[in-house]
Amino acid sequence: MAQALTVPKVKLDRAWQMYIDGKFVNGTSERELINPADGKPLCKVQEGSKAQAEAAIKAARKAFDEGPWRKTTAAERAALLFKIADKIDEHAEELATLETLNSGKPLRESRYDMTDAAQCFRYYGGLATKPTGYTVDVPAPSVSSVVREPIGVCGQIIPWNFPLLMAAWKLAPALAAGNTCILKPSEFTPLTAIKLAELLDEVGLPPGVVNVVLGLGPQVGLPIAESELVDKIAFTGSVKTGKVIAQAALSNLKKVTLELGGKSPMVVFSDFDVDTAVDYALFAIYCNAGQVCSAGSRIIVEDKIHDQFVKKMVERAKKIKVGPGLEEDTEMGPLVSAPQFKRVLEYIEIGQKEGAKLACGGAKAEGKGLDGGYYITPTLFTDTKPDMRIVQEEIFGPVAVIQKFSEEKEAIDIANNSAYGLAGAVFTHDITRAQRVIKALRAGITWVNGYHSTYNECPWGGYKQSGWGRELGPNGLDAYTEVKQININLEPVAVEWFKS
C-alpha cells in the first residue's frame, strides 16, 4: 500500500493575493486552482486585470527611477539575495509541499527544486560583487572604461513546470544587477510565487522592486510585454507564445530573453552499456512526467542495439510507479492540468494514426488513488519516421519516440532535423567520437554520457526556435545589464577643429 510522506501542513484556505508596490492586494477576479493529483479544487487565488498589471509596472518604474533600490551597492544587494536564499531554505518543506500540490510533481522533485532555487539566489548574490567592467588603454590624456548598469524595469513571465525555480532563475540575476521586476507566474501554478513574495516582503525588499501579478496572458502578460515603461521582457514557455511576446516587445524595442521549447535528441551508440543508457533515457523523458523543456524526447539508437534497447526500456517504463506526488513510492506524478492532459492524449492518438508503433503506455493511468487525476502512463513509440508530428513537435508529456541509425553522420543528421535546438546528449565510450558528435549537435545545452544535470554557474538556452539569449551563469547576469562606455578627457583644451 502506498504510504503518505511526512510533510508539513500547509494552509490552503487563506488569502492568496497579488503583490504590488510592497502590498498584498486583491485582484478583479478569482481563480479556483485544481489539484492535478485528484482533479479536485485546491484553493482560490486572486487574479488581476490590465489596469492592475499597469499599476505594477508603474510601481516598478517608480522604484527604479526614484526609489532607494537604484542607490544600493552591490554588497547590499548581495546581502539581500543571501537572506532570500536563507528564507527559502527555512521554508523549503512548505514550499515543496505547495509545489507538489499545485503542479503534481513528486515531492522528491519539488524538494530538489527548492534547494536549487535557494542556490540560484546565493550564486547571484556572490556574483553581484564581482568585477563586471574593464578599462581600456587609450591615448593620453583620455581614459576609457566600460561598465555594466541595470537595464531598468523587467517583465518576467514564467511557466508552470518549475514554478519557484523559474522565478529564481529570473529574479535572482535581475535583482543582483539592480533592476526592478514584475513577475507573472502561470495561472495554473502561482502558489509558490505568492509565498516567495511573502518571503521577499519579510527580508525588507523596498516597495515596487518586485511585484507579483496573477492572471491570464492576454489580460496581464501581454500588457507587460507591450508597455513602453518596461525595459526588458524575459519569457519561458512555448514558441507560439514566445513569438507573440517578441512582437509585443517591439513597442519600445525592449531587450528580450526567450527560453522556448525543445525536442531534444539523445544519441546512443552501440559501444555504450545498454542498461545504463536505458536508465538515462527513462530519466531524460519521464522526469516530471516529461514536462521539461529539455526533455530527451527523441531517443536515437544505433541499429545494432535497437531491439535490445527498446525491449529493456519498455520493461522498465512499465514498472514506473505513477501516482500522487505526496505518496512515498510515487516516481512519476500527474500532468499539471486538464488541458495539458488532453493535449498529450491527443498527440498519442496522432502518433498512432501516423503509423508509429505504440511500444508501451499511451493511455490514462488507472488504479487505486488515480481517479480524477491527470495521469498518463509512460509512453514510447517505435517505427517512427522523421516527418511525423510526434517526432517534430514538442508534446511536453511522458512520451518518447525511438529513431534508428547505422552511421555516425546519420545520427547527427537525425538529431539536428528539428526546428528546436535546446538540448542534446550523446552516449558512447569513444571520447573522440563523443567530442565530434557533441560539437556537431545544434543545441545550447549538451551532455556526454549523462542527462538533465543543470548548474547555476552555466548558461541555459538554445539554438534555432528554442529561444533568444541565455539564462544562468555570468551570461544570465549580463542579460539584465546595459553596457556603457565612459570616456574621460583629463586635460580638456580647445579642439580647434574649426579655425574660424
Side-chain angles (χ1 to χ4, degrees):
M1 180 182 292
Q3 297 295 316
L5 288 160
T6 302
V7 296
K9 291 183 179 180
V10 295
K11 183 175 174 57
L12 293 169
D13 185 17
R14 45 151 287 188
W16 294 97
Q17 297 173 298
M18 300 187 297
Y19 185 62
I20 298 176
D21 202 15
K23 298 182 181 66
F24 289 94
V25 298
N26 288 331
T28 55
S29 62
E30 231 178 23
R31 171 179 292 270
E32 186 170 67
L33 299 182
I34 302 298
N35 185 343
D38 57 17
K40 296 178 180 178
L42 187 64
C43 63
K44 293 181 179 180
V45 298
Q46 295 292 312
E47 286 197 331
S49 61
K50 179 180 179 181
Q52 287 179 302
E54 290 172 345
I57 293 168
K58 290 177 181 177
R61 184 81 262 168
K62 183 178 180 181
F64 183 77
D65 293 338
E66 304 173 23
W69 184 246
R70 194 173 185 180
K71 298 175 183 177
T72 57
T73 66
E76 289 170 332
R77 295 195 298 275
L80 199 60
L81 290 173
F82 292 142
K83 287 181 181 179
I84 295 169
D86 290 343
K87 280 288 184 181
I88 292 174
D89 283 341
E90 182 184 336
H91 293 266
E93 280 296 285
E94 179 187 0
L95 286 163
T97 304
L98 286 173
E99 195 95 313
T100 290
L101 288 169
N102 202 179
S103 72
K105 66 175 61 181
L107 193 61
R108 64 174 182 173
E109 293 182 25
S110 295
R111 284 170 171 160
Y112 182 89
D113 291 349
M114 299 310 108
T115 299
D116 204 13
Q119 288 302 100
C120 185
F121 278 100
R122 285 197 182 92
Y123 171 73
Y124 282 107
L127 203 60
T129 57
K130 303 306 179 285
T132 57
Y134 55 91
T135 58
V136 181
D137 187 4
V138 297
S142 294
V143 294
S144 184
S145 63
V146 176
V147 300
R148 287 188 175 273
E149 297 181 338
I151 288 179
V153 176
C154 302
Q156 301 169 316
I157 302 174
I158 59 174
W160 43 257
N161 55 340
F162 293 90
L164 187 73
L165 189 56
M166 292 296 99
W169 281 22
K170 288 176 171 54
L171 288 174
L175 295 176
N179 298 284
T180 59
C181 306
I182 308 104
L183 180 74
K184 192 203 97 63
S186 166
E187 62 271 22
F188 294 112
T189 55
L191 294 186
T192 49
I194 299 171
K195 183 61 184 179
L196 179 61
E198 294 171 1
L199 300 182
L200 296 177
D201 196 64
E202 286 180 22
V203 301
L205 200 68
V209 172
V210 172
N211 306 271
V212 178
V213 184
L214 311 180
L216 296 172
Q219 283 73 44
V220 176
L222 193 59
I224 295 171
E226 290 176 332
S227 175
E228 295 190 8
L229 298 179
V230 175
D231 303 301
K232 175 185 170 68
I233 190 79
F235 170 79
T236 298
S238 70
V239 172
K240 181 180 178 181
T241 305
K243 290 179 179 179
V244 173
I245 294 291
Q247 285 283 348
L250 292 174
S251 63
N252 61 334
L253 292 177
K254 57 176 61 68
K255 304 295 187 291
V256 178
T257 301
L258 301 174
E259 201 271 273
L260 307 178
K263 193 72 176 178
S264 301
M266 175 180 161
V267 181
V268 183
F269 286 91
S270 61
D271 69 317
F272 198 83
D273 179 71
V274 174
D275 289 312
T276 305
V278 166
D279 187 73
Y280 274 105
L282 295 168
F283 180 50
I285 182 58
Y286 300 131
C287 178
N288 199 22
Q291 300 169 118
V292 184
C293 55
S294 57
S297 52
R298 291 188 296 135
I299 306 169
I300 304 167
V301 183
E302 191 169 354
D303 52 8
K304 296 175 185 176
I305 60 169
H306 173 272
D307 293 349
Q308 183 186 8
F309 183 98
V310 170
K311 180 182 178 182
K312 288 178 177 289
M313 185 159 178
V314 167
E315 288 174 352
R316 287 200 57 188
K318 288 180 177 179
K319 295 177 181 178
I320 292 174
K321 179 64 171 66
V322 179
L326 292 182
E327 291 186 357
E328 184 72 57
D329 57 351
T330 290
E331 295 178 313
M332 192 179 89
L335 299 187
V336 72
S337 66
Q340 188 63 18
F341 176 76
K342 180 182 177 183
R343 168 188 164 87
V344 174
L345 287 178
E346 287 174 349
Y347 266 107
I348 291 171
E349 184 178 353
I350 288 168
Q352 292 173 291
K353 288 181 178 178
E354 288 179 319
K357 179 182 177 182
L358 188 62
C360 68
K364 183 183 187 304
E366 303 289 349
K368 186 177 180 181
L370 303 184
D371 293 345
Y374 310 131
Y375 302 96
I376 292 179
T377 51
T379 301
L380 182 67
F381 279 103
T382 62
D383 297 351
T384 61
K385 296 179 180 179
D387 60 347
M388 288 180 172
R389 288 183 62 188
I390 59 167
V391 174
Q392 291 295 329
E393 298 177 16
E394 185 176 39
I395 299 173
F396 226 65
V399 181
V401 299
I402 297 282
Q403 296 177 274
K404 189 191 301 186
F405 73 93
S406 56
E407 302 291 338
E408 180 182 307
K409 183 181 183 304
E410 183 185 7
I412 294 169
D413 289 344
I414 293 171
N416 287 333
N417 181 22
S418 172
Y420 299 104
L422 185 58
V426 57
F427 287 77
T428 177
H429 288 304
D430 184 338
I431 192 62
T432 303
R433 176 165 59 193
Q435 288 282 358
R436 283 196 308 267
V437 176
I438 211 70
K439 289 181 178 179
L441 292 187
R442 298 280 294 159
I445 308 147
T446 61
W447 300 277
V448 173
N449 300 340
Y451 212 95
H452 276 325
S453 52
T454 304
Y455 307 101
N456 290 310
E457 297 83 358
C458 298
W460 182 275
Y463 293 16
K464 299 186 278 188
Q465 291 193 46
S466 286
W468 291 347
R470 295 293 184 271
E471 295 186 306
L472 297 184
N475 305 71
L477 183 62
D478 290 348
Y480 282 96
T481 63
E482 291 278 21
V483 178
K484 177 181 285 184
Q485 178 188 155
I486 301 175
N487 300 293
I488 303 174
N489 185 349
L490 297 178
E491 298 178 11
V493 295
V495 177
E496 296 185 349
W497 187 266
F498 299 105
K499 301 298 183 181
S500 57

